[in-house]
Every structure is written in structure tokens, then in C-alpha cells.
Amino acid sequence: MVEGERNPLIKGSGPTYNGEVTAQSDAHRRKWKVLSWREPTTETPPRDAGSWVSKINYSYINPLLALGWTKPLNADDLPPLAENDKTRTQHRKLREAWDRVQGTGSPTWRFWRALYHAFTSEFYLAAIYSVLESALTIGQPVLLGYLLTWFKDDDDDYLKGGLFTGGFITCSFLAAIVHHQLFYHTMRAGWVCRMGCTALIHEKLLHSSYSARQSHTNGKIINLVSTDVLRFDMGMVFLQFTWVSAIDCIVVYYLMARNVGYGPAAAGVGVLALVSIWQLHNTKRLARFRKETAQATDARVSLTSQLLSGMLSVKAATWEVPFQKMIAKLRANEARWILKSQLVKAFNLGIYFSAPAVASFVTFALYVHVNGHQLEIDEAYPTIALLQVLRHSMGKKLARAFETVPEMHIAVKRIQDFLETEEDGGVADHEEPAEEGLVLEVDSMSCQWNTKKTVVEGLSLKVGRGEMVSISGPVGCGKSTVLSAILGEAKVTSGSIKVRGPVAYCPQQPWIIAGTVRDNILFGSEYDAERYERILKAACIDVDIKQLQNGDMTEIGERGVNLSGGQKARVSLARALYSDAQLILLDDPLAAVDPCVCDSLLDSMRSLLTYKEVGILLVSHQPKAVVYSERVVSLTATGTVAYYGEPEESAMTTSPQLSKSSSVEEVPEKPEGGSGEAPVKLVEAEDRMKGAVTGQTYKSYFQAGGTWLTVVVAVCLVAGQGSMMYSDYFLSNWAGNDLKEQQKDFYLIVYGSACGMTFVLGLVRAFLFFYITIRANSNIHNGSFASVLHTHMSFFTSNPLGRIINRFSADLGQIDEQLPVSFFDTLQMACMVVGAVVLVCIAIPWIIIAIPFLVAIFWWLRKYATRSLRELKRLDGISRSPVFAAFSANLNGITSIKAFQKHDEIQHAFGTKLEKMALPWYWWFIGNRWIGFRLDIMCSFLVLFLAGFGLALRDSVSTSLYALAMTYSMTLGEMFQYMVRQSSLVETMMTSVERLLYYRDRLEPEAGLDIPTIDPEWPADGSLALNNLAVRYRKDLPLVLTDVSAAIPQGSRVG
């Protein structure tokens, strides 16, 4: 468990449930309790307490940013969420909506309809703000046209000029407000979908059948909550632009036609439309790439999870290098599909930069050379401004929609496929026996797994209160399958199973939850000291617990690494015996204990039958178990019943199978006096860097991608921006001449060459950059995973499996999918902003006075906000680990959870972790809105200064340069704040690179695998000598073996 986190499985330590709602599935009916993860604070959520003004400018986050400026933020510093933002609210809405659409309408869109019903207001608010933003953005070029006409015609009516200028400035300020409201509602919509789906998937997991879990591998199920749900974050943001961009295209075409005529307007808009059609064509390709990527990621994560779960075996067999190569091969296949989808995104980003230049060239070439019209300043630059609006609408928003919406649709389909898998109620599906004294009645039962082959056939048995019935037989005969059929896992093909009351289950492989020994035994039940001590003695675990450093409050981790196999089996047995179950199913718990402990356990179980009046069904190879049983079932190798009756009539005691002693595992010795030592946390707090992401992190990242390729991309970025600026500047010279001069080929050739160079460089730099990032990500992954494979076993005892998987799934997924786009956006926008500022200053040099002050304010705002945003992003990464650890652990222990019917408690615990995970992301998201809004407002002030200076200095300012500056100012604010916000986003996402590099560079490796030269005749004999052997699991943990000496000669058999 993470330090400081309470275990919600302990009664009274977690939040409580409120209310009930009845849900029905195809498999059965059940009651699900509505989650109510109550906050342990009475603090009013800042958004609920904030005024309407604070909700527009996001000032309700000010106290948190002020705190983050003074110190690194911790999880305890984060304010609570508003009631409508809490995860339990989103989960309830989505589950009710999913229940409502079950079995209705087209299956293809079923889960989409559930999302719509659950979050209807989010969809409509996004649509309204999308239309408002488009109206304000398109309104600015229209007003610019009127202003330039007034400017060019030397109109003395300054009131008219002032009105046009005021309208232009007002649109700029209103667009800033509406833009951030739009992105607040769309990003929040993606977030609530993600959190709601994560909770719903986990709830489905707890009720899923065995066949459902077989059809969806563990890696695939984990990927649903680690990767697939992330598609909502961007998909919901750009979903509305799939139709708003079409409206923008129609309106822009009409307005352009007013300036340059229908033919040239159609040509210019047509270029951008053809690009969008090509992007739409790539949508199917992108969807296929995403599907293949998801399958490749499933395969890699699944094998990674299996390897990390079995690291002891991997290291014992020195299989690190073969498995390292196997994972690297799977990663190479995954990276191949990611690169294909990223190249599509690279094309979209490259086109976003260069398409307006090509569209402008086509438009003005037709207008001047074909139609024979003279190009005027008040026609040219409003047309360029409209093309830039359409560029942003179609080249950015629609293109991102074509990228993210198909990916989101694939994710929705994968989630729906899992949600529609078969469910079972486990033991709850069975009827109760008619006879009052029975707790289990099996009548002529035959069962099988997913195959058509029957595993057990014609089994009949009864277990009454106070009775123990044992099942034995050769390996693979179906003994454990009988228990699985009772638990609802194996499929009953004929006959019946009837069960009375709650059931407890002790699996063959003990399932240990991350927590203390007491947590594992109580498993959510009330603590009764007398009963607890009685059960510890009955399970023969009381002596072992006293030898542990902190007694039953000792942490044992999710794998129980500091317990022996026998101890884990007895902890699992104690859990079953402590429960309130009337029927206890024991799957060979005696196999991992020595003979004397076996005798004690059987004696204790007999005593317990009298004390609790429960029934026990025991699967065991131990011959002694027969003597303690009221009745015995003997199965043949083919799964048929060889004998059922009282033990003295059975021939089982002479069975060769039972005469073989099971493997013996000795209880490890504990040093005396250990309980007096200071407590040691078995599971350490997750590593967390503090402060800014270092330059070394960026350097390591690009070195992993290729240093020289990075230099080439940098040159292309500068050259591409230069060619675009020259083409726009040259247009002012072209438009300043008369018609005869304008129709000379010289202008067309120069302008066309500059536009063509812009187009080529825009694509080349995008393709190269995305290739570099995928190459870097794969190299970092391979290096990090190799370090994990070759580090000490102590690393795996102190880090839960989910925490490690988090870095190779969620963190890697983020730097694969989101970091390249944001990083390239930052670099591209930075070049465009510098170019725009240079042109604005050339047009009106007085602006230079304001630039240093604005840059200083911009830089301070970024520095002020980024300090908190960076820590919030790190907290987000850390808070995800407990969620994935819990999900992974619950996935492995699903049979035990269903047997004990602890669905509510486990969902409860998971929901608490999910609520904690929601906090850092939400405040990081609000922090981004905070800085973005203020940067946009500052840029609107820059527009105000520019327009004001132009109005005041009308007689001394070049009309063409003023038109160029005003055109660039329209997008300068949006580009600048977007660049600053994206750079902040890049820094926060680089924390994921930082987390992977930590594994690659800072994990202490074991001794090398190089084997020294030895005598070819070695070993001459098979003797073994132990001399004063002392063993501990980790440097900071107590010894588990002390001064053990033994000499075992060859040919000996030692137990």
C-alpha cells in the first residue's frame, strides 16, 4: 500500500455506501449498491464556493497555485472536487445510462448512446460554445476588411474607424473567454467519461464470468483502463468540430467570394477542402492503425505483466536476456503501428502550417491572372485572414478530430465488447438445498470449462453443518474444477448445485492483498479479538505472526513476498475460517505445510466444525484428511466418481497417489527480539522527482531519438517559418502595384516558389520529428525494461506490480501518443509566434515598447503556473499507480472476491483510489485553463495596442504593413497562449519520460550474468554446504534466516 493510505477493506476505515439501485444483465439479476466515496473533509469545494466571475477566469484555483509557488504540492494540499465532478457521480450516471440502453437500438452505437444519456449537458454545452467561438473568430476578418477599407480610402470619419477597431478588439476579448469555456467543458467531458468508464469496467470485472476473462486476456483488460480510456481526453475535445468545421467552410467561402469572387474563393477553399478530404480518407487508415496498435500493446503489456509477476522464476532460470529480447520484439511491432498512425498526424500538422500558403497562391493567381482583377490590400489580407481561420478550423480542429475521434471510437468499441461479455453471480446463482441441515448439495453434476470436453461427470455429494467432506484423486482429474463449478466459474452442463448461505474459499495459489496480515485475514469483516485469536490458532499461523517484526500489523505486500509458501497458504486459510460463511471450500491448503502442521490444521478444522457449525469441502492429496472427513469423494483420472462414502469404506488410504508425500516448506526462522525494531514499510513510497524537468531529461530524450536528426528538424523549423513570412511579406508588394504590373510572371513565380518551399519544409520537419520521437520512446522503453529485468529482487518486493506496469503502460502510452503532438505543436507555434512578433514590430515600431513588458508578464505567468502544474502532473502519475495496482490485484484475485461476495467492498476500495487519482488531473486541467485564459487576455491587449496605435498613427503607417500586422495579430494571441500552454503541457508530460528514465538510469543492477571459467568436470558431486547463512528480503528488512549451517552429502533426500 502507498504510505499513508488506509485500507478500505477494514470496516470503518473507508467511505460508506448510500442507497441501492437494481441492475439487470443477461446472465442474472443482482443488486449493486451505489458508490458514495465520502470525502474525509468538510471543506467546501472551491468551484462550488466560487462566484460566476471566478468560473470564467478560473481564479478559484489561486490559493492552490499560491501554495504551489512556495513549496512542492502534495496530495494532501489538493482541495476537494465539486459534487458534480466526483467520480462516484460520473460512475452512477454512466451505469444507469448503460443499464437503460441494454438490448436497445443498434449494437454498434450502444455504448455511445449510454455516454450521451449520461453526459447530455456536457455534449450540448460543447456544441453551443463551439458555434459561438466560430462566430467570433470569423467575425474578426470581416471587421478587418471594413477597417482596412476605411484605412486605405483616407476616410476622415474617425468614429467609423473607431467603431470598426472597437468591434475588432471586442471580438478578440470575447473569443478568449468563449474559447476557454469551450475547452473547459470539452476537456471535462473527456475526463468524466474516462473516470466513469474506469469505474464501470472495474465493476464489470468483479461480476465477469470465467469465459469472459478468457476471451479478454489480462493484458487487454488492463489496457482498457490504462490506455483506452485515455482516448476520451482528446476525442471529446475535438468531437464537435466534425460538424462545426463544415459550417465554418461554408461561411468562409461566402465571405471570401465577396472579396475575390466565387471562382478564386472556390479554388482557395477547395485546396483546404481537398486536404480535409484526404485527412478524412486517412481516418479509416488511422482507425485500422489504432486497432493494430491496441492489439500490439495488449500483447506487450500482457507478457510484461506475466514476467513481472513471475520474476523470481525468471531470475532463478536466468531468463532475463531471452525475455528482454522477446519484449523488445513486441515493442518493435507496437512501435511500427504507432509510427504509421503518428505519420498521419505528422501530415496533418505539416499541412496545418503550409496549406494556407498554397491556398493563397491558388486564390490570388486565379483572381489576378485568370479573372484579370487588380488585387487590393483590403481584399488580400481579409482573404488571408479568412483562410487562416479556415486553416485553424479544418487543418487543426477537424484534422485532430479525424485523428482522435476514430481512436476514441475504437476505444469505445473495445470497452463495449468487454461490458457486453457474459456475467455470473458466482455462488449467488445457486438455489438453496431443500434439506435444512445441508449447506451444499451436488446432484449428478457434470461440468466443463470453455472447451466441449467434460472435466467432471455425474458427481453427487452432500455437506451438512458440522461436516467435512474431502475430494481426492490423481493430478488433473478435476478436483479443483468441482470447487470452481460451485463458485460459478466452471460451466455446469447437467445436474444441479445447491448452496446455502455465504461461502468462503481458500484457493490453491493463495491470493494476498497489499496490506497487513490482519487486513488479509479480516478481508473487510469486523475485528473480534477473541474470535480472531481462535482462528489464528486454528490456522496454525499464530506463532508465525508473533515472529514477524510488527506482528499481524506487518505489511506483506501484494505477493506476500516476506512470507513462505506455507505461511501464505495459512493466511489464506485463516481468511476463510474467520469469515461468516456457512460453507468453506478449501483447495489443497495442506500441500505447502509440513506433516506436523498438517496434523494440527486437521485437528483445528475438526474443532472448528463444532465451534462454528459450518460445512467444509476439502480438496487434498493428504491421506490423513480422509480420517478427519465424514465422507470422501474419489475421482478417477477421467473425472468420474470412483467412490463416494464414509472413509473407512474407502480404498483411498492405500492409493499410490495419496502415499506420496507433498513438498515440504519449512517456516522461515525469525531473529529473536525483532519486534522491538522500528517498523519498516515493505512497500516503499513511489519515487518522485521535484522541481523543473531538467535539461538532461530533454537531452537524453533526443539523444535516444538521434542527435543529428534533431538538428535537421531544427533547421527545417527555422527555414519553413522564414519562407512563410517571406511569402506573406511579398504579397504586400504584389498587391501594392497596378494591374499590369501584378500580372507579370515574376510575382507569380516568386510568390509560388515561397509557398511551395513552405509546403515542402512543413511536411519534411513534421515527418522527421515524429520518427525521432517514436525511435526515442522505443529506445527508452527497451532500456528501462532491461534495467527492471536486471535489478535486484528487492525492487519487486518494495514496488507493487501495478506501479511498475503503470510506467510501461500509461506513462509509455502518454509519450507515444500525446507527447509528440504537443512537443511539435510547441516548436511549430514558437516559430510562428516569433515570426508574427517580428512583422508586427516592423509594421508599427512603437509596439516594441510594449513587447518586453508583455513577454515578461507571459514568462512570469508561465513560470508561476508551471511550478504547480509540473508537480500536479507528477502527482497524477503517482496517483495512477495505486489504481492500476488495485485493478491488477483484483483481476488476479477475482475468484476469491466472488467467492466471498466482497464485490461492494472491493469496488469501494477501488473507488476511493480512483477518487484520489481524479484530484491531481482535475486541478492540473484547471491550472492549464487558468494560464491559458490569462495569456489570451494579454494577447487581446496586444491587439488593442496594435489597433490603437494604427488608428492614432494612420497617416504615418504603411497600409500594406498595417494590414499584414493586423492579420497576424488575429492569430498571434491564440498562437502565443497555445504555445506557452503547450510548452507547459510538454514539461508536465516529460515527467513520464523522467519516470521511465529513472528506471533506465537509476536502478541498481545485479551482478553480471557472465559465468567465470570453471572446470568442465564440475560438479564432481551433488553435495550442498551451508555455512552460517543469513538471508533477508531487502537491506532495510529484518533477517528471515540467521546463521543456518547444514551439510547435505550427495545422494541424500532432504525434506
Side-chain angles (χ1 to χ4, degrees), residues 124-156:
Y124 279 110
L125 282 171
I128 292 170
Y129 281 114
S130 296
V131 173
L132 283 175
E133 185 192 39
S134 290
L136 291 167
T137 305
I138 293 174
Q140 291 182 71
V142 175
L143 291 168
L144 176 63
Y146 289 127
L147 179 60
L148 291 179
T149 300
W150 173 81
F151 208 98
K152 183 191 69 170
D153 294 343
D154 293 329
D155 192 338
D156 292 332

Side-chain angles (χ1 to χ4, degrees), residues 22 45 102 214 263 360 391 550 587 595 615 650 760 823 843 900 908 977 1039:
T22 301
Q102 287 287 5
Q214 289 299 106
S360 300
R391 180 265 298 270
N550 299 311
D587 194 353
S650 171
V760 172
F823 213 140
F900 283 86
H908 213 169
Q977 70 85 14
L1039 292 169

Side-chain angles (χ1 to χ4, degrees), residues 52-347:
W52 65 271
V53 175
S54 70
K55 293 176 182 177
I56 290 176
N57 62 19
Y58 309 99
S59 58
Y60 55 86
I61 198 180
N62 284 347
L64 183 63
L65 293 179
L67 181 64
W69 178 254
T70 60
K71 74 178 190 72
L73 292 174
N74 295 311
D76 294 337
D77 299 324
L78 305 184
L81 297 176
E83 185 64 30
N84 196 43
D85 289 327
K86 291 180 179 176
T87 302
R88 63 178 174 85
T89 304
Q90 317 312 329
H91 177 210
R92 174 181 53 78
K93 287 181 178 179
L94 185 55
R95 188 183 59 209
E96 290 174 355
W98 176 239
D99 291 339
R100 191 184 313 141
V101 302
Q102 287 287 5
T104 64
S106 170
T108 305
W109 302 100
R110 187 168 294 153
F111 194 60
W112 273 114
R113 294 203 313 278
L115 291 170
Y116 170 77
H117 288 308
F119 310 117
T120 304
S121 61
E122 283 81 357
F123 279 92
Y124 279 110
L125 282 171
I128 292 170
Y129 281 114
S130 296
V131 173
L132 283 175
E133 185 192 39
S134 290
L136 291 167
T137 305
I138 293 174
Q140 291 182 71
V142 175
L143 291 168
L144 176 63
Y146 289 127
L147 179 60
L148 291 179
T149 300
W150 173 81
F151 208 98
K152 183 191 69 170
D153 294 343
D154 293 329
D155 192 338
D156 292 332
D157 188 354
Y158 274 83
L159 177 60
K160 183 190 294 184
L163 289 174
F164 292 147
T165 303
F168 188 86
I169 294 170
T170 301
C171 279
S172 178
F173 278 97
L174 288 177
I177 294 172
V178 170
H179 172 81
H180 289 283
Q181 286 299 308
L182 167 64
F183 273 77
Y184 168 79
H185 288 287
T186 54
M187 290 188 72
R188 181 183 171 279
W191 173 66
V192 297
C193 287
R194 170 161 60 91
M195 303 307 290
C197 285
T198 302
L200 191 62
I201 291 167
H202 182 265
E203 187 174 52
K204 174 68 179 186
L205 172 67
L206 298 183
H207 297 276
S208 61
S209 66
Y210 174 81
S211 61
R213 298 194 300 277
Q214 289 299 106
S215 62
H216 289 70
T217 63
N218 283 10
K220 186 174 182 179
I221 296 174
I222 291 173
N223 250 0
L224 291 178
V225 297
S226 65
T227 304
D228 286 296
V229 295
L230 294 177
R231 306 303 167 196
F232 289 110
D233 286 352
M234 288 292 102
M236 292 300 292
V237 170
F238 295 100
L239 178 64
Q240 302 297 332
F241 299 120
T242 55
W243 60 275
V244 172
S245 295
I247 298 175
D248 288 347
C249 184
I250 295 171
V251 174
V252 166
Y253 169 69
Y254 170 74
L255 295 173
M256 281 181 60
R258 293 174 56 191
N259 292 336
V260 296
Y262 289 101
V269 173
V271 169
L272 297 181
L274 285 174
V275 169
S276 295
I277 291 172
W278 176 251
Q279 291 171 338
L280 180 61
H281 172 72
N282 282 336
T283 299
K284 293 182 179 179
R285 190 175 301 173
L286 196 64
R288 182 171 65 86
F289 292 160
R290 175 62 204 143
K291 185 176 181 180
E292 295 291 344
T293 300
Q295 292 176 353
T297 304
D298 288 344
R300 178 184 60 80
V301 173
S302 180
L303 182 58
T304 299
S305 179
Q306 293 173 31
L307 286 179
L308 296 177
S309 298
M311 277 306 299
L312 189 60
S313 299
V314 171
K315 287 184 174 293
T318 63
W319 285 339
E320 292 96 332
V321 173
F323 278 122
Q324 179 183 334
K325 293 179 179 178
M326 189 178 299
I327 291 291
K329 185 177 180 181
L330 290 175
R331 171 60 191 178
N333 180 55
E334 179 188 19
R336 180 169 62 90
W337 289 109
I338 293 174
L339 179 61
K340 289 181 178 181
S341 63
Q342 294 292 57
L343 290 180
V344 174
K345 297 178 183 179
F347 174 81

Side-chain angles (χ1 to χ4, degrees), residues 856-873:
I857 294 172
F858 285 141
W859 187 255
W860 185 86
L861 283 173
R862 181 192 181 279
K863 184 179 180 181
Y864 179 75
T866 300
R867 184 174 294 186
S868 296
L869 294 177
R870 183 174 55 238
E871 299 306 320
L872 287 169
K873 195 61 180 176

Side-chain angles (χ1 to χ4, degrees), residues 130 195 267 297 330 420 425 429 458 564 577 656 739 770 775 810 847 974 1035:
S130 296
M195 303 307 290
T297 304
L330 290 175
E420 290 181 336
D429 282 346
S564 70
L577 299 180
L739 178 60
F770 278 82
R775 184 180 178 187
I847 291 292
E974 183 177 1
K1035 292 180 180 179

Side-chain angles (χ1 to χ4, degrees), residues 19-46:
E20 286 192 350
V21 61
T22 301
Q24 182 178 6
S25 71
D26 294 334
H28 66 286
R29 289 178 176 267
R30 65 173 181 268
K31 283 192 173 182
W32 288 341
K33 292 184 178 179
V34 177
L35 294 178
S36 178
W37 308 313
R38 291 178 180 166
E39 299 287 348
T41 177
T42 57
E43 181 184 355
T44 302

Side-chain angles (χ1 to χ4, degrees), residues 1004-1050:
E1004 183 182 353
E1006 291 181 312
L1009 295 178
D1010 297 331
I1011 301 175
T1013 303
I1014 56 176
D1015 188 344
E1017 301 298 324
W1018 183 89
D1021 58 63
S1023 60
L1024 176 65
L1026 304 178
N1027 297 314
N1028 301 320
L1029 177 66
V1031 176
R1032 70 175 82 237
Y1033 287 101
R1034 208 171 65 208
K1035 292 180 180 179
D1036 57 341
L1037 292 178
L1039 292 169
V1040 293
L1041 294 179
T1042 306
D1043 293 334
V1044 176
S1045 298
I1048 304 173
Q1050 65 175 353

